[in-house]
Every structure is written in structure tokens, then in C-alpha cells.
Amino acid sequence: MATETPPPSNTQAQLPSTEEFVAVQESAEFGELRRSYRSFAFPLTVAFIAWYLLYVLLSNYAGDFMGTKLFGNINVAFVLGVAQFVTTFLIAWWYSRHAAAKLDPKAEAIKSRMEGGA
């Protein structure tokens, strides 16, 4: 199987110094990247954990409600259980879009500057 990838270069890449890492970490650009990540990930994580715990608590303490038949042999517990999987995939998809649109360009700019490409 042939690939179009060129062989790795023999030149050693110049690694940034500790001072350069600290300077980037303290930069407004890195702060904005971190804020953008946190403002998306933290609230969504809290919301999903609350949603999951609600499901667990309902399963433990509201058996009659969870056992309510909606149609055929499908009950509330089954629908909410399937919704757990659906929301997991939706969150992953949403995060992927968010990262591609907001996080990756900022991270790539910082990375290229750190590697000496900008």
C-alpha cells in the first residue's frame, strides 16, 4: 500500500523554551482559547451529569413513573434510557463542531507561532 506522505525530516525541530511556554500561557490569545473551551465544556458537562443523575434517581425512587407504559411494551424508563445515548452522541457531535469552528483555529495559531511558523 503506497502513501503520499513524505518521509520524516532528519532536522530536529526547535523546541520552545520554558519562558516561551509561560509567555503563551499568560497571553490574551491563550486565555481566550481557554475561556472558549471552558464556557462550552463546563456547562454542558454539568447539564449532562444532572440529566444522568435525574435518570438514575427516577429509576431508583420513581419506579411507578418509570414503569408507565407509553405504547406497547415501551415505558418511560426505556425512552429516557435511549435518550441518554442520543444526548451523548449529540453532545459529542456538538462539541466536534464547536472545536472545529472556535477552538482548533485558535489552537493552531498558537501552535504554529510556538513552532516558529508564524
Side-chain angles (χ1 to χ4, degrees):
M1 179 162 114
T3 63
E4 299 297 321
T5 306
S9 68
N10 292 334
T11 60
Q12 191 78 358
Q14 181 66 28
L15 295 176
S17 67
T18 303
E19 292 79 19
E20 290 171 317
F21 275 111
V22 170
V24 167
Q25 182 182 10
E26 294 172 350
S27 72
E29 186 180 23
F30 187 76
E32 178 58 34
L33 174 63
R34 191 173 40 224
R35 248 184 321 283
S36 182
Y37 169 74
R38 288 179 178 172
S39 68
F40 183 88
F42 287 176
L44 215 56
T45 300
V46 169
F48 185 78
I49 290 173
W51 159 229
Y52 175 74
L53 290 176
L54 174 67
Y55 177 73
V56 171
L57 291 172
L58 287 173
S59 294
N60 283 322
Y61 300 110
D64 291 338
F65 169 70
M66 295 295 269
T68 302
K69 301 253 183 193
L70 298 176
F71 47 91
N73 285 329
I74 305 297
N75 60 15
V76 172
F78 181 77
V79 170
L80 293 180
V82 169
Q84 289 284 318
F85 286 99
V86 171
T87 54
T88 299
F89 287 108
L90 285 174
I91 289 170
W93 170 78
W94 191 14
Y95 176 77
S96 175
R97 288 190 47 165
H98 172 75
K102 303 259 166 85
L103 304 178
D104 293 348
K106 292 175 188 176
E108 188 58 40
I110 292 171
K111 178 184 172 201
S112 65
R113 192 172 58 253
M114 288 293 288
E115 291 176 347

